[in-house]
Amino acid sequence: MDGPGAEPRSAVAWRDDRLEVIDQTLLPERLAILELRTVAALVDALRRLAIRGAPAIGVAAAFGVVLGLDERRPSSAAEALAALDEVAAELEAARPTAVNLAWAVRRVAAAARDGADAAEIRRRALDEALLVLEEDRASCRRMAEFGRAELLGRRRLLTHCNTGRLATSGLGTALGVVYAKAAAGEEVEVLASETRPLLQGARLTAWELVDAGIPVTLLAEGATAAAMARGMVDAVLVGCDRVARNGDTANKIGTYGLSVLARSHGIPFYVVGPLSSFDPAAAGGDRIVIEERALDELRRFGGVPVAPEAADAWNPAFDVTPAALISGFITDAGVLRPPFEETIPLALAG
């Protein structure tokens, strides 16, 4: 992402006591780095999708706990513990659907609570956040290799939204599989759906793959069925924001429709994501809170009206794909297959 031959810049990084992230709202026109030093700035970046992708959201939120402690400058252990509670609540409210956010915040806060004083609480929080970052990178590498083995011989892969280096701190989830296939010398090409209404597939996935030198064909949302019917798709790979205990999966709006189309055309449909995106507390998809976004994201684009202001709109950010339509989950612990009511709890149990 920094030019030919350069090491790609991480979407989320911690440098000099600040969080540095790629502002994904400005791509593909401009690659800009946000320097975040406050929880409010981080929450704003999360809500306006400057930071997006479930693993990247989790990593950023982990460091958000440290930012919150630095802002409040507690002078005692009691003040630091109170600050942890305040910061955690503020961060968890930023994006309700992606389970990685709450998981990372609670993990960092729990590790920090063992500190004897304010300084140690802050140090433990930072150490745990750095561990979340490194684990995400390692998780991406494992998913990529598991996925490469699973999809051996399948060259033309359809993706939705963005699931690569911009969505994680590492290779990515679904696109990580693509990178692994390319690195192994396998032929691979991506069909990227544009992903309405904010065009993450067009603005982010296509940009990322062009930058990496991997063949990519952009599809209008309405063209995905025709592409499948013409035999242009060997498998569908998507990410996930939250997976229920039975395998029902929340992901970017439009994912459910792709799963129905894939089943109709006899095409395998895989969800790629770390076990940290699985929520054992949610028995099924009906227990997943679906975020709804501003209506003007549909009625306007780039500030330009594309629909009458008087028109009502419905703008859910995610939909839920029933487990019955999923061929398998490619995770950092291996490939999980049906019956998911059995294989998911076993994977989560370790």
Side-chain angles (χ1 to χ4, degrees), residues 97 160 242 248-259 288 290-291 314 316-322:
T97 302
H160 189 57
R242 188 181 297 245
D248 292 349
T249 298
N251 193 50
K252 178 65 184 173
I253 189 73
T255 302
Y256 175 31
L258 287 178
S259 71
I288 299 174
I290 299 299
E291 174 187 345
W314 182 48
F318 307 94
D319 56 25
V320 175
T321 298

Side-chain angles (χ1 to χ4, degrees), residues 7 49 62 99 111 157 162 231 236 246 287:
E7 180 71 17
L49 303 187
V99 71
L157 307 177
N162 174 262
V236 179
N246 70 345
R287 308 301 297 173

Side-chain angles (χ1 to χ4, degrees), residues 66-341:
V66 183
L67 291 178
L69 291 172
D70 288 348
E71 274 187 274
R72 286 161 175 78
R73 298 180 182 275
S75 59
S76 67
E79 288 181 6
L81 293 175
L84 281 176
D85 291 337
E86 294 170 5
V87 171
E90 192 174 346
L91 288 168
E92 288 188 38
R95 296 289 304 276
T97 302
V99 71
N100 297 67
L101 188 154
W103 166 82
V105 168
R106 293 170 189 175
R107 173 176 163 176
V108 171
R113 289 184 190 283
D114 291 333
D117 54 32
E120 188 182 359
I121 287 171
R122 195 268 187 190
R123 179 182 60 76
R124 286 176 176 269
L126 178 57
D127 287 347
E128 195 68 20
L130 289 168
L131 190 57
V132 169
L133 173 71
E134 291 306 317
E135 287 179 1
D136 179 52
R137 291 174 176 168
S139 169
C140 288
R141 291 192 293 270
R142 291 196 301 274
M143 286 186 289
E145 286 306 316
F146 286 131
R148 184 180 72 82
E150 178 73 12
L151 294 168
L152 195 65
R154 296 188 183 272
R155 175 172 60 89
R156 299 163 299 180
L157 307 177
L158 175 63
T159 69
H160 189 57
C161 199
N162 174 262
T163 57
R165 292 187 172 109
L166 291 169
T168 69
S169 63
L171 282 176
T173 56
L175 281 191
V177 177
V178 173
Y179 288 129
K181 288 173 77 69
E186 299 176 22
E187 287 190 31
V188 64
E189 60 182 90
V190 173
L191 288 84
S193 61
E194 59 189 348
T195 320
R196 299 281 177 167
L198 295 182
L199 304 183
Q200 288 97 320
R203 293 189 306 103
L204 305 180
T205 294
W207 175 84
E208 188 176 319
L209 291 172
V210 166
D211 185 73
I214 294 174
V216 57
T217 299
L218 182 63
L219 297 180
E221 224 84 320
T224 53
M228 292 183 189
R230 289 194 180 195
M232 296 169 62
V233 180
D234 295 328
V236 179
L237 291 183
V238 300
C240 54
D241 284 83
R242 188 181 297 245
V243 180
R245 196 167 63 244
N246 70 345
D248 292 349
T249 298
N251 193 50
K252 178 65 184 173
I253 189 73
T255 302
Y256 175 31
L258 287 178
S259 71
V260 173
L261 290 171
R263 176 59 57 90
S264 178
H265 290 87
I267 295 170
F269 182 95
Y270 287 97
V271 174
V272 188
L275 290 182
S276 59
S277 291
F278 287 65
D279 182 5
D286 59 341
R287 308 301 297 173
I288 299 174
V289 176
I290 299 299
E291 174 187 345
E292 294 194 14
R293 296 187 59 81
L295 303 187
D296 273 351
E297 286 183 349
L298 284 178
R299 294 188 295 221
R300 292 175 172 269
F301 193 80
V304 178
V306 294
E309 291 291 334
D312 200 3
W314 182 48
N315 189 18
F318 307 94
D319 56 25
V320 175
T321 298
L325 296 177
I326 297 170
S327 304
F329 290 92
I330 299 171
T331 77
D332 45 359
V335 180
L336 308 184
R337 308 183 193 281
F340 297 125
E341 295 92 337

